[in-house]
Structures are given as C-alpha cells and as structure tokens.
Amino acid sequence: MGGRPSSPLDKQQRQHLRGQVDTLLRNFLPCYRGQLAASKLPRVREHRGPLTQLRGHPPRWQPIFCVLRGDGRLEWFSHKEEYENGGQCLGSTALTGYTLLTSQREYLRLLDALCPESLGDHTQEEPDSLLEVPVNFPLFLQHPFRRHLCFSAATREAQHAWRLALQGGIRLQGTVLQRSQAPAARAFLDAVRLYRQHQGHFGDDDVTLGSDAEVLTAVLMREQLPALRAQTLPGLRGAGRTRAWAWTELLDAVHADVLAGASAGLCAFQPEKDELLASLEKTIRPDVDQLLRQQARVAGRLRTDIRGPLESCLRREVDPQLPRVVQTLLRTVEASLEAVRTLLAQGMDRLSHRLRQSPSGTRLRREVYSFGEMPWDLALMQTCYREAERSRGRLGQLAAPFGFLGMQSLVFGAQDLAQQLMADAVATFLQLADQCLTTALNCDQAAQRLERVRGRVLKKFESDSGLAQRRFIRGWGLCIFLPFVLSQLEPSCKKELPEFEGDVLAMGSQALTTEGIYEDVIRGCLLQRIDQDEETEAEREGGACPRQPDSGTQIQPLCPPPSRGTFRS
C-alpha cells in the first residue's frame, strides 16, 4: 500500500518514448533558442526583393535576391526561386556596426581614405574596375572592421524602401544590449566600460553596439587595428581602391576569427556566470540591508575626501556646458516624441472616422490592422526617427570636448524610445477598445467610446513620455560627462581609494568594490546637476517632466540607465 505502482510500459516502450522526447527537444530547442534571441529585439518587417551586388573575384555587378529577416539579419540568394525553395544563401551578415551610404561619390571618398598613402593610384586601374562604372541607385554598407557590401536597386523607389529597411535592421541589431532589462546585460556593458577605462580609454563611443560577442570583438579590433594596419597594409597587392577593397577583405577575415573566439569564450564562461549569480543570490539577499548601510558609510567618507577636487572639476569643466547639452538632449527627445504623439492621434482619429462610416466593413478591419502595425511601419515612423537625427551635429559638437563619440548610439536610443512608446500606446488603445466595444452599440455610441479611449491613451502617453524623457536625459548626460570627470579625477582622487579597501573587504561581498562606490559618488553628484538643469530647461519650455519614478506604466530603459548603485549614493 502506498508504494509506487510499476510502470504499465515495458522497456521497449519506455525507450521509444525517450526517443520521442529526444526528437522533440532536438527539433524544439533550435526554435526556442531563436525565440529567446528574437524576444530581445523589437519586430522588424521582413523585406525582400531583387538587387544587384558587387561580388566575385574580380568584383563584378551580379543580380541577386536579397532578404532582410525579421531579426535584422541580411541574406542574399542567387535568385528568387532559390530563396522560395529553401536553398542555401550565397551569403549573410548581421548588420551590427554597418553604416549605409546611398551616394557613390561619398562611398568612393570613404574608400580612398582607407589607403590614403596610395591616394591617386586608382587612376592607374582599369576604367571599369571597382565602382568606376556609375551606379544609379546604390546601397553601400560600410563597416570599420568588415568587408563592405555594395548593392544597387533598379529604381529610386526600391532604393528608398531598402534604405529604410536596412537602417531599421542596423538599429535593431545594434541596440540589443541597451534595450535588454536583464541585469547581466547591464553588468556586461559596465564591465566593458571599466575594462576600457583601465586601458586608458575614458570617452564613450559606439563600441558597445551589438551582442556581447560583437562588442568584445569591436573592442579588440580597435585595440589591434593600428598594429594590423602597420604590419599588413604595406604588403597588400594592388593600388588605390583595389588595395582598399583588399584591406576590407583582410579585416573581414580577422573580424570573423576574433568573433568566433569571443563567442566561444563567452559560451565557456556561461556555467561560471550562472554559478556566480546563484552564489551571489544566496549571500546578498539575507544581508542586503546591512551591505547598503556599510556602503553608505564608505560612500560618505569618500564623498568628503574627494569633494574639493570633484566640485572644482564640475564648476570649471562641466557647469559651463551642461545647460547646452541638457537643452539639446531635451529638445531632441521632445521633438521625436511629439512626432509620435501626432501620428498616434491621427491613427486613432482615422479609426474613429472609419467606424462611423462602416462599423463592420473590410476597410475598418484594414484600418485596425494598419493601426496595430504603426510602430513597425518604417516609412510612417521615419517622421519620428528624423527628429532624433536633427540634433546629431549640434550635440556631437557639444559632447566631443568631453571625449564622447557615441552619437550613433544616442540617436539609436532616441529612435528606440520613440518606437517603444508608440508600441505601448497602440497596444493600450487596442486593448481598451476591445474591452469597451460590443455588438450592442450603434456607430455613434461606439465612436463616442473610442473618443474616451483616445483621451485615456493620450493622457497615459503624456505621463509615459515625460518619465522616458527624464530617463533619456539622465542616462545620456551621464554617458557624456561621467567618463570625462573620472578621467579628470584619475591623477588626484584615484590614489585615495586604497585607504578604503580594508573597509570594503570587511563587508565580505563581491557585489561591492571601492571603485564602484567611488563612481557612485561621482555619478550622484553629476545627476544632481543634470536634474537641476533639466528642471530649469523644462520650466523655460513651459512644463516640467514628471518626477515620480513609479507613476504610469514601466518604460523599458531604451536609453542607458544609471547603474543600480546610482540612487544609493
């Protein structure tokens, strides 16, 4: 009685079932891995069509069929039927780190700059070699460490559609870590910053675009590029643009090897990472209050020790430029989100108008579908994305003296934010509309209810966008100024840190470090100044951003958020 009953299955049947489970897992896990990766990315509409590509040895323009996948990966096939029949692609690439050019003259200038010592030698090349033949509707994908991809569309309309699709794919692939809410992603980005600071590189740039393996590859490629150029460039055959093209192919081979090594290293580290996180969870959670109190005591002593040099640096170097930087950041994100609000209101108005005309017609269903697709309609959202681009030059000039060269990341952050808020608002509208509309309502009643939903959605959007603006300004303000201030204080204040090592070690936790507490102190002082300037600028513009951190719904930190220790300093 009470014992486990014997299995009604014999050994052969159990083995058969185990085989079925193994088969299921073998077929399911690749899909699961793909969805885990895709869940980190916003949706991208698959784009496909015929193009011509400069490829082969020697390079020649050849027809291909190109496909931009929903995860932002670009593939090209020999012809359309090869793609439709599931054939092998001729090539593929992740779009991380690429820049798209649609001017042949601009691309040729860039190609010439790769080998400036042989500038002018291209006049000795054959007249039809390497892009000497004019291209009407080009799409040049340039990468600092990879082979360039040269495509051409048949019409200006096709070129425009591909330009929007490729730009969306580049952004999608580039901001995967910045958009992630996983603590491990934040820890990885912080670790990259600290590693580069230890190497003497304090300025922020676009090296953190891409996956973890792609980021580490970019870090190493930047470190090795001068030596690689000196060692290999003189030995490359050819002249002028032929030589520059060969240089990009060499870089591509080196990049592929480094990327494979970085990916393998990170995979090998995964079990250790899981074990470390599990261990920290067990040791930190019971003592978190005590650790925070000890951290606050050390931070207070550190703040006292560095107050003089820190205040001097902030008053002398940061304060004169901070209002201009905050003003430009605010206007950048405000303009982008105002464009989102306009598109959102227009979309809701179209639905209400269509409902009054034809409550159950095909056109209404088409309007509902189009409204739901707005966040991923590249042509529609381009209005918002252009606003994020407008201040690039001005903001770049203001931030460059502080060593900040990450303007592409900043623009991507503003564009991601616009897409995220649009997606949230559209989902909210459709959910509320579905709840309040019933078949018992006539057209006028349904339209009146939709009008009330419209008001609620816009009110929520205003709240969400205010919170998002503040996070954007704080996050990017820190990206611009924090590395600079750390570099300025390095000679005088960093030497004081060993005095605090004993206190930090006595806490007995890997989660706290002297350097981390030191940076939290500086981060806190910078945030106070950024907040003050933001409030002043918002009041000048006619309204302040909401300050309640928990009001409204939670917004994903699409701009770089302050580290978790920031608000404890």
Side-chain angles (χ1 to χ4, degrees):
M1 295 291 291
R4 183 177 178 181
S6 60
S7 172
L9 305 176
D10 60 29
K11 181 178 179 181
Q12 183 177 357
Q13 290 172 318
R14 289 198 299 272
Q15 287 178 340
H16 174 73
L17 283 179
R18 278 198 293 269
Q20 294 294 311
V21 172
D22 290 343
T23 301
L24 169 66
L25 290 174
R26 188 164 57 249
N27 294 328
F28 168 75
L29 288 179
C31 300
Y32 185 36
R33 293 187 190 102
Q35 288 306 307
L36 282 173
S39 69
K40 302 295 183 183
L41 305 172
R43 289 168 51 192
V44 166
R45 285 179 172 175
E46 186 172 285
H47 191 80
R48 55 185 180 268
L51 293 173
T52 55
Q53 182 185 19
L54 188 68
R55 61 188 182 91
H57 294 279
R60 290 290 182 266
W61 289 101
Q62 302 179 46
I64 58 165
F65 188 80
C66 216
V67 180
L68 178 63
R69 298 290 188 181
D71 62 356
R73 186 169 186 82
L74 186 67
E75 299 177 350
W76 50 97
F77 299 80
S78 57
H79 46 77
K80 182 179 180 180
E81 289 72 23
E82 192 74 20
Y83 159 71
E84 291 177 339
N85 295 331
Q88 186 71 25
C89 62
L90 295 172
S92 66
T93 187
L95 291 175
T96 308
Y98 277 98
T99 301
L100 178 65
L101 303 174
T102 55
S103 164
Q104 185 174 6
R105 180 178 300 177
E106 186 179 353
Y107 176 69
L108 291 178
R109 283 200 300 265
L110 183 148
L111 204 60
D112 291 338
L114 290 178
C115 300
E117 61 275 10
S118 61
L119 188 62
D121 291 348
H122 60 267
T123 58
Q124 302 172 13
E125 300 177 34
E126 297 178 11
D128 62 340
S129 67
L130 277 179
L131 300 167
E132 291 300 310
V133 177
V135 181
N136 288 329
F137 308 109
L139 296 156
F140 299 114
L141 287 167
Q142 179 267 336
H143 194 288
F145 313 123
R146 302 195 64 184
R147 179 189 289 112
H148 296 179
L149 299 173
C150 302
F151 302 102
S152 176
T155 65
R156 189 171 301 281
E157 291 74 17
Q159 181 197 43
H160 177 71
W162 273 108
R163 179 176 65 83
L164 294 181
L166 290 170
Q167 287 174 339
I170 291 170
R171 175 171 60 88
L172 170 76
Q173 290 275 338
T175 57
V176 59
L177 288 173
Q178 283 77 4
R179 285 181 279 103
S180 174
Q181 296 192 76
R186 188 74 248 157
F188 176 83
L189 292 174
D190 285 340
V192 169
R193 179 178 57 80
L194 288 172
Y195 168 81
R196 299 185 78 201
Q197 286 178 191
H198 294 159
Q199 305 295 315
H201 183 98
F202 281 87
D204 208 342
D205 54 27
D206 293 323
V207 75
T208 54
L209 290 174
S211 67
D212 50 4
E214 288 170 328
V215 169
L216 291 184
T217 300
V219 168
L220 184 59
M221 291 294 293
R222 291 198 184 202
E223 291 177 0
Q224 297 298 315
L225 191 60
L228 188 63
R229 176 180 286 273
Q231 293 169 8
T232 61
L233 196 55
L236 289 178
R237 294 181 178 180
R241 291 165 186 162
T242 301
R243 194 178 189 195
W245 190 269
W247 169 243
T248 67
E249 291 185 329
L250 173 65
L251 283 177
D252 191 73
V254 175
H255 183 277
D257 282 347
V258 174
L259 181 60
S263 299
L266 288 169
C267 286
F269 174 69
Q270 186 65 40
E272 180 185 342
K273 170 185 163 184
D274 294 339
E275 184 179 346
L276 174 62
L277 291 175
S279 173
L280 289 172
E281 178 71 17
K282 291 178 182 177
T283 57
I284 291 176
R285 186 175 293 276
D287 303 322
V288 65
D289 292 336
Q290 182 181 355
L291 286 174
L292 292 179
R293 287 193 296 270
Q294 291 172 325
Q295 182 201 36
R297 282 196 295 270
V298 174
R301 289 177 53 204
L302 257 174
R303 192 178 295 110
T304 300
D305 277 17
I306 69 172
R307 176 175 292 142
L310 175 57
E311 282 297 319
S312 176
C313 174
L314 293 177
R315 283 196 302 268
R316 185 179 65 254
E317 304 288 351
V318 174
D319 289 350
Q321 292 298 322
L322 183 60
R324 296 186 184 92
V325 171
V326 168
Q327 179 188 65
T328 309
L329 285 171
L330 179 61
R331 290 181 178 177
T332 298
V333 70
E334 274 185 340
S336 183
L337 297 187
E338 181 58 32
V340 172
R341 188 190 186 283
T342 299
L343 289 177
L344 177 64
Q346 291 173 347
M348 291 187 292
D349 289 343
R350 279 196 303 272
L351 275 179
S352 181
H353 177 70
R354 184 62 59 196
L355 181 63
R356 290 181 185 275
Q357 285 189 332
S358 177
S360 60
T362 302
R363 294 186 65 181
L364 175 60
R365 289 193 293 273
R366 191 160 54 240
E367 288 285 356
V368 171
Y369 175 80
S370 297
F371 181 80
E373 290 293 303
M374 281 173 58
W376 302 281
D377 187 329
L378 293 172
L380 185 71
M381 292 295 294
Q382 197 63 22
T383 306
C384 314
Y385 297 160
R386 275 198 302 267
E387 292 296 340
E389 288 272 4
R390 292 189 193 280
S391 300
R392 179 196 287 264
R394 169 65 174 161
L395 192 53
Q397 290 176 350
L398 291 172
F402 299 95
F404 179 81
L405 302 174
M407 283 307 303
Q408 186 62 76
S409 298
L410 191 154
V411 169
F412 281 171
Q415 292 172 341
D416 279 346
L417 185 61
Q419 186 180 40
Q420 176 70 51
L421 288 174
M422 175 65 90
D424 288 348
V426 164
T428 301
F429 178 85
L430 292 176
Q431 181 180 14
L432 293 177
D434 186 60
Q435 292 172 358
C436 76
L437 296 182
T438 67
T439 55
L441 301 174
N442 62 37
C443 293
D444 288 337
Q445 291 171 329
Q448 289 172 3
R449 290 201 178 185
L450 274 190
E451 189 63 28
R452 288 197 292 270
V453 169
R454 178 187 187 277
R456 291 175 63 186
V457 169
L458 290 179
K459 184 176 180 180
K460 180 179 181 295
F461 178 83
E462 294 294 339
S463 174
D464 289 353
S465 61
L467 291 168
Q469 282 178 202
R470 183 165 185 259
R471 290 174 182 169
F472 182 90
I473 294 167
R474 292 181 115 221
W476 286 107
L478 284 176
C479 282
I480 293 170
F481 292 111
L482 179 60
F484 173 80
V485 174
L486 290 171
S487 70
Q488 296 296 299
L489 298 180
E490 178 91 0
S492 58
C493 295
K494 203 70 177 289
K495 63 184 180 183
E496 305 288 339
L497 297 188
E499 299 179 14
F500 298 88
E501 285 291 347
D503 294 334
V504 175
L505 289 174
M507 299 180 193
S509 174
Q510 295 174 269
L512 296 178
T513 64
T514 307
E515 188 171 12
I517 298 173
Y518 167 74
E519 287 198 8
D520 275 354
V521 169
I522 297 172
R523 186 182 287 107
C525 293
L526 267 173
L527 281 174
Q528 288 179 357
R529 278 172 154 79
I530 292 171
D531 289 345
Q532 290 169 2
D533 278 277
E534 180 205 354
E535 289 174 8
T536 301
E537 181 60 28
E539 290 171 1
R540 185 183 299 119
E541 294 290 331
C545 295
R547 296 299 304 271
Q548 298 82 5
D550 296 322
S551 66
T553 57
Q554 185 175 6
I555 304 288
Q556 292 185 12
L558 297 170
C559 50
S563 70
R564 289 184 298 172
T566 298
F567 302 105
R568 300 198 297 265
S569 57

